[in-house]
């Protein structure tokens, strides 16, 4: 195999495969993707069938990117022939005991700033539109019609196949052991030898921490073990994607869920469980207490979705101290771009891959990513107090 490339991508998950695809579309002369596991595997952050896609976000910087986010997915669908996005509509709900309507104000503010339309639903309107919900009086609901599902595994398959067809080399079962960053080039050391390139994308997810010293990155990377549960619901038909939306419940526990997709089951999870781990400490066995917590939520608020546990899967959030994206080039090394998804990047994966390709081929991107830079206080200030709740 050739040892010298124009660009190397570390990681072939949702973002790394997207970066490979968009690098090829941007005219990269010869690109290589290094992946420590199989291609299109379920061991990183891109396993399972579904991720939420939505325009309702806690900051306008994300909401303003959603037009481009949807367009990049549409382009991938056109190029691959695969359906990646399923629109279901999306709900944000907040019970009165946890702030009610005021809890949803950051999402309204962000969408207003981005010119995105949405509906505020009273408790009565929510119950009439979606009688599956059992909620206390005074529960606020915000509905946005573009919310839905990104088939995350299918997206990795599409990006990988498109990149391969364009001439990108993929090297699975190859672990990166170190990176030498030079002026205008890099050398990437791996279990298959050393590869050199003029540009580097690092999309290593929860394994980023192993490479941060070589990249000159010093911010604190926190990993949290997460879990989703599929439930064999009593009335599956009532939760089909054309009858029931994706949803986020902004209560004492932030819960989220999906209609029936990928499995003959409803999917439910708690955001930010807070079980902190190391990159070597991830477990693939589900936690029974977490499954029980999710089932109790369904019994209380979506009783027709409740039922026996069908299957549970785990994933990992990799987060900087403010749990916002890191999307930037390394200071002093504009040929090295890094992404850290903070546990909420799946919906943006193709757009992020496009931005990373922009940064390395054009030196800039038309998208406003200033909020996600490596010079922000949460990254450069060692005394920054970590804040991992995106929904406050």
């Amino acid at each position: 195999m050739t040892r010298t490339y124009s660009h190397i991508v570390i990681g072939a998950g949702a973002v790394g495969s997207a970066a490979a695809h968009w690098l090829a579309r941007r005219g990269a002369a010869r690109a290589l993707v290094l992946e420590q596991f199989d291609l299109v595997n379920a061991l990183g952050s891109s396993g399972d069938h579904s991720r939420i896609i939505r325009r309702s976000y806690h900051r306008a910087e994300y909401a303003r990117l959603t037009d481009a986010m949807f367009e990049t997915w549409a382009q991938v669908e056109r190029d691959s022939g695969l359906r990646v996005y399923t629109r279901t509509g999306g709900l944000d709900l907040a019970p009165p005991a946890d702030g009610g309507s005021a809890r949803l104000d950051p999402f309204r503010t962000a969408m207003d700033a981005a010119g995105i339309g949405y509906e505020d639903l009273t408790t009565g309107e929510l119950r009439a539109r979606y009688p599956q919900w059992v909620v206390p009086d005074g529960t606020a609901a915000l509905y946005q019609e573009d919310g839905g599902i990104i088939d995350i595994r299918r997206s990795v398959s599409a990006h990988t196949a498109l990149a391969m067809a364009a001439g990108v080399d993929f090297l699975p079962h190859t672990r990166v052991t170190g990176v030498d960053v030079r002026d205008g080039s890099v050398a990437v050391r791996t279990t298959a030898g050393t590869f050199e390139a003029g540009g580097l994308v690092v999309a290593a997810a929860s394994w980023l921490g192993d490479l941060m010293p070589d990249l000159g990155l010093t911010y604190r990377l926190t990993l949290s073990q997460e879990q989703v549960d599929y439930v064999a619901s009593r009335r599956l038909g009532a939760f089909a994607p054309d009858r029931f939306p994706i949803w986020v419940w902004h209560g004492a526990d932030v819960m989220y869920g999906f209609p029936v997709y990928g499995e003959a089951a409803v999917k439910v999870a708690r955001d930010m469980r807070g079980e902190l781990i190391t990159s070597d400490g991830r477990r693939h066995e589900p936690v029974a207490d977490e499954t029980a917590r999710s089932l109790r939520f369904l019994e209380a608020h979506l009783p027709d979705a409740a039922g026996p546990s069908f299957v549970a899967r785990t994933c990992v959030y990799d987060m900087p101290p403010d749990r916002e994206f890191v999307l930037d080039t390394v200071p002093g090394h504009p040929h090295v771009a890094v992404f850290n998804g903070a546990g909420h990047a799946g919906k943006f994966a193709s757009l992020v891959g496009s931005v990373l390709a922009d940064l390395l081929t054009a030196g800039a991107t038309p998208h406003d990513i200033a909020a996600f830079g490596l010079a922000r206080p949460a990254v450069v200030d060692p005394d920054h107090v970590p804040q991992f709740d995106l929904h406050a």
Side-chain angles (χ1 to χ4, degrees):
M1 173 174 279
T2 300
R3 295 281 165 175
T4 302
Y5 289 83
S6 62
H7 299 83
I8 292 175
V9 179
I10 299 176
V15 171
S17 64
H21 165 60
W22 290 103
L23 278 167
R25 284 184 64 97
R26 300 287 191 269
R30 186 164 176 80
L32 170 68
V33 181
L34 300 168
E35 169 55 50
Q36 62 181 323
F37 304 120
D38 286 326
L39 301 184
V40 199
N41 68 75
L43 299 174
S45 300
S46 308
D48 203 12
H49 305 286
S50 55
R51 294 291 186 275
I52 283 176
I53 187 169
R54 56 192 169 95
R55 291 186 184 269
S56 61
Y57 240 97
H58 64 292
R59 289 182 61 170
E61 290 89 344
Y62 294 99
R64 291 191 184 102
L65 290 174
T66 57
D67 281 346
M69 172 186 75
F70 279 105
E71 176 50 37
T72 52
W73 288 124
Q75 184 65 56
V76 169
E77 289 183 328
R78 290 191 293 269
D79 290 345
S80 70
L82 287 178
R83 184 180 182 185
V84 176
Y85 161 55
T86 298
R87 186 166 78 170
T88 65
L91 281 173
D92 288 279
L93 306 103
D98 295 292
S101 183
R103 183 77 176 266
L104 304 181
D105 281 345
F107 303 90
R108 297 185 185 97
T109 299
M111 287 192 286
D112 287 342
I116 296 168
Y118 57 88
E119 294 179 71
D120 274 305
L121 304 180
T122 66
T123 307
E125 289 169 335
L126 170 68
R127 291 167 177 160
R129 186 177 300 189
Y130 296 112
Q132 300 94 328
W133 280 102
V134 175
V135 298
D137 291 341
T139 296
L142 187 156
Y143 176 81
Q144 209 290 317
E145 64 180 0
D146 294 324
I149 296 167
I150 285 294
D151 192 313
I152 197 70
R153 185 192 181 283
R154 193 177 292 174
S155 81
V156 177
S157 177
H159 283 134
T160 300
L162 290 168
M164 283 182 167
V168 176
D169 288 340
F170 282 75
L171 193 56
H173 307 292
T174 304
R175 184 170 61 85
V176 173
T177 58
V179 177
D180 297 321
V181 178
R182 308 161 178 164
D183 289 339
S185 69
V186 297
V188 181
R189 303 187 303 277
T190 80
T191 52
T194 298
F195 300 88
E196 299 193 356
L200 176 66
V201 169
V202 182
S206 57
W207 292 274
L208 172 62
D210 298 336
L211 301 176
M212 288 174 69
D214 287 354
L215 299 170
L217 302 178
T218 59
Y219 69 88
R220 187 185 320 173
L221 186 71
T222 299
L223 308 182
S224 175
Q225 174 100 19
E226 302 296 315
Q227 177 174 319
V228 300
D229 282 271
Y230 285 89
V231 180
S233 305
R234 298 179 184 124
R235 293 181 57 212
L236 283 176
F239 296 92
D242 60 347
R243 301 178 192 174
F244 194 71
I246 58 97
W247 54 269
V248 180
W249 175 270
H250 302 270
D253 283 336
V254 175
M255 307 292 294
Y256 63 95
F258 299 72
V260 175
Y261 186 90
E263 308 286 357
V266 168
K267 179 177 171 182
V268 61
R270 176 166 61 120
D271 180 70
M272 192 53 211
R273 291 180 56 233
E275 181 185 348
L276 305 185
I277 61 170
T278 64
S279 60
D280 295 328
R282 176 181 174 180
R283 301 184 318 276
H284 296 278
E285 302 77 22
V287 176
D289 286 350
E290 192 64 22
T291 296
R293 182 191 290 261
S294 290
L295 292 178
R296 287 195 298 271
F297 179 89
L298 294 182
E299 289 283 4
H301 297 297
L302 290 168
D304 285 341
S309 175
F310 184 75
V311 66
R313 297 192 173 109
T314 65
C315 65
V316 175
Y317 288 173
D318 50 292
M319 305 174 291
D322 58 359
R323 204 184 161 187
E324 309 291 3
F325 290 170
V326 168
L327 178 53
D328 201 358
T329 54
V330 172
H333 299 288
H335 60 297
V336 179
V338 177
F339 180 69
N340 179 193
H344 58 106
K347 63 187 75 60
F348 287 102
S350 195
L351 176 61
V352 167
S354 175
V355 169
L356 292 166
D358 288 341
L359 294 175
L360 291 195
T361 59
T365 178
H367 305 291
D368 184 2
I369 59 170
F372 313 131
L374 282 165
R376 68 182 191 263
V379 171
V380 299
D381 181 1
D383 297 322
H384 181 89
V385 178
Q387 170 56 262
F388 300 131
D389 183 5
L390 289 178
H391 308 277

